[in-house]
Amino acid sequence: MSNASLSPLPSADRPDVAARLRGALLGASFTADGLLELLGAPAYAALSRSETVPALRATRGDTPLELLVRLFLLQQPVLHARVDDVLPVDACLESGWLVRAGDEVAATVDVRPYGGPGGEDWFIVSDLGCAVGGAGGIGSHAEGVVLGVGGASTTLAGLTVRTPVSAALDLGTGSGIQALHAAAHATRVTATDVNPRALHITALTLALSGAPAAELREGSLYEPVHDDETYDLVVSNPPFVISPGARLTYRDGGMGGDDLCRSLVQQTGERLNEGGFAHFLANWQHVEGEDWTDRLRSWVPRGCDAWIVQREVQDITQYAELWLRDAGDHRGEPAEYQARYDAWLDEFEARKVRAVGFGWITLRRTGAAEPSVIAEEWPHPIEQPLGETVRAHFDRVDYLRAHDDAALLEAHFTLAGEVVQEQVGLPGAEDPEHVVLRQNRGMRRATRVDTVGAGFAGVCDGTMSAGRILDAIAQLVGEDPVALRDRTPAQIRLLVEQGFLEPA
């Protein structure tokens, strides 16, 4: 399918119809909670895997909610007469939300209920067949297709810092989910995309969700942004796939290797206001003879703190297969599939790429003389939403930057909530081989400490300074207190940096 064969979109200039449609959807409980109750957890979860059969089986009745699920989420035509009392059908036909087919009506776009972080009932609009489960093998010719909510979208939304801001920018808005989240805490939202169809769909998403309109601009990366414009928040789920060419607009950046992600990060520094945050999802190359952390550190613009987290690594064959399946190429002619696979491997070999990393990059504009750049690998489960954890991370960066070792020993700390201690050693041994502190919230980190570090963390309740606690421990274990004060601040600093200890 080509761009020309994509379905015509509803009018974005009829907010009155969008408001009436929204009211009808809410009136029938066409919401995230309503769907879960109607479908049940297994069928609801199957939708995220692009499997619609369980949901079709669960919506064989004629209740208003069942009709709306089949119409807008499962793309099944329904009898006009059956939805006449449920929807403003004539207005929806006139404005393009529905089309008539004999005595039936069909939706022109996917509409997926989406629960906002504050309990809002939102709706994400996307192209037909793209609301559930991501691409699902859309096909190699759908260059202008606009996807709905996928795992990457919700990951980015969850890790974004949600504080009130004046101006927010969503680069590569797609179906508008990041712009929708930003509209809840930003006075002004600007959304950009190289695909004009995506901008149209973003306008529909915002209108149908009852959110303020965003300023929509067409163009790549920062091209649509004026030279004098800066923002308090920048978010982007860019077309980060490292591919030979740019077949699919929604995923392929069209630049060589990981240059699109690099360019996006490097250009962001001058667009952020002091204290402003930028959040990106990204892929990056693991190049032979080069440390991936050095590669990513070189991307960080001057004047920005950065926190870079690698969540997954795939070798080049796994990576190529993932995105070939995403495009549906595995269902095509074997010879064509092999040729495309060869093209991916040729591209990687020419660049000496051995693997590809997946993860996120957070920047914060700072006036500090020495910005902090932390790059780490953390493939373990985390707790979403993570935005508050991200904000707290940068608060701790500020704290540690302002406190040398002497100041740390004078400071008071408390143990963070839901931290547990694990002791590892042989059964019956008098002393453990090592002690692990583990978080049950946020990043759910685990870090190894010595017995002094464990004892120190265990008594941190804010009442005594770090130095006094160490003096007491030294007396208890018979160690020189001066030597203990000299060697322990590095461990305290690590525990603060990773969120196990909080300044009192």
Side-chain angles (χ1 to χ4, degrees), residues 61-421:
D62 282 332
T63 66
L65 180 54
E66 288 170 301
L67 293 170
L68 292 178
V69 170
R70 291 205 302 275
L71 181 64
F72 284 115
L73 196 58
L74 304 177
Q75 285 79 64
Q76 301 295 307
V78 300
L79 288 172
H80 184 297
R82 289 184 177 174
V83 293
D84 211 21
D85 294 334
V86 180
L87 294 172
V89 175
D90 290 340
C92 288
L93 287 167
E94 179 189 353
S95 59
W97 288 95
L98 300 175
V99 292
R100 190 188 301 272
D103 58 354
E104 294 180 320
V105 294
T108 58
V109 289
D110 268 327
V111 176
R112 178 175 181 176
Y114 179 83
E120 302 93 343
D121 288 314
W122 289 339
F123 300 97
I124 309 299
V125 180
S126 61
D127 270 313
L128 291 175
C130 302
V132 296
I138 285 172
S140 59
H141 300 295
E143 294 92 349
V145 73
V146 179
L147 303 189
V149 179
S153 300
T154 54
T155 294
L156 179 59
L159 65 88
T160 300
V161 174
R162 302 294 176 191
T163 53
V165 296
S166 296
L169 174 65
D170 176 14
L171 285 175
T173 187
S175 59
I177 179 174
Q178 309 305 330
L180 180 58
H181 274 277
H185 63 103
T187 303
R188 177 173 61 88
V189 177
T190 302
T192 73
D193 206 288
V194 71
N195 182 4
R197 188 175 183 86
L199 297 175
H200 190 131
I201 284 180
T202 291
L204 298 175
T205 290
L206 294 171
L208 195 59
S209 298
E215 184 175 356
L216 307 175
R217 301 181 188 174
E218 183 180 346
S220 177
L221 300 182
Y222 284 102
E223 288 176 1
V225 178
H226 304 147
D227 290 342
D228 59 347
E229 289 181 311
T230 56
Y231 298 88
D232 307 298
L233 175 67
V234 177
V235 292
S236 184
N237 177 16
F240 52 65
V241 176
I242 301 170
S243 59
R247 293 167 58 206
L248 300 176
T249 303
Y250 70 85
R251 68 166 210 194
D252 299 328
M255 296 185 185
D258 51 18
D259 282 355
L260 182 133
C261 290
R262 176 187 57 78
S263 298
L264 177 58
V265 173
Q266 288 180 337
Q267 294 172 19
T268 296
E270 61 187 13
R271 299 296 183 178
L272 280 178
N273 293 326
E274 184 76 17
F277 284 94
H279 304 273
F280 311 106
L281 300 185
N283 282 184
W284 43 80
Q285 298 172 149
H286 284 229
V287 180
E288 183 179 335
E290 181 180 1
D291 188 297
W292 75 268
T293 62
D294 291 339
R295 183 180 190 84
L296 272 291
R297 289 172 187 275
S298 73
W299 292 7
V300 177
R302 187 174 302 174
C304 287
D305 292 326
W307 185 20
I308 302 162
V309 181
Q310 180 167 270
R311 297 285 291 153
E312 183 181 359
V313 180
Q314 290 188 342
D315 68 48
I316 57 174
T317 60
Q318 292 174 304
Y319 189 81
E321 291 162 14
L322 170 66
W323 297 111
L324 287 166
R325 288 193 301 271
D326 172 81
D329 291 327
H330 60 304
R331 302 193 187 106
E333 292 293 328
E336 185 175 350
Y337 175 79
Q338 181 176 339
R340 292 194 186 280
Y341 201 146
D342 271 331
W344 283 75
L345 297 186
D346 287 344
E347 180 81 6
F348 285 135
E349 289 175 6
R351 297 177 179 274
K352 297 184 178 180
V353 176
R354 297 293 175 259
V356 177
F358 298 69
W360 69 69
I361 300 171
T362 300
L363 304 179
R364 184 190 60 168
R365 188 75 183 179
T366 179
E370 296 184 14
S372 165
V373 178
I374 296 173
E376 62 175 321
E377 187 164 15
W378 190 253
H380 310 294
I382 61 172
E383 180 191 41
Q384 283 276 36
L386 204 65
E388 181 58 25
T389 299
V390 173
R391 185 200 60 75
H393 166 88
F394 287 94
D395 285 349
R396 294 194 299 272
V397 165
D398 285 341
Y399 178 86
L400 291 172
R401 194 157 41 202
H403 289 72
D404 60 15
D405 288 354
L408 283 183
L409 293 176
E410 294 297 321
H412 295 235
F413 300 97
T414 59
L415 186 66
E418 298 194 38
V419 172
V420 297
Q421 176 179 305

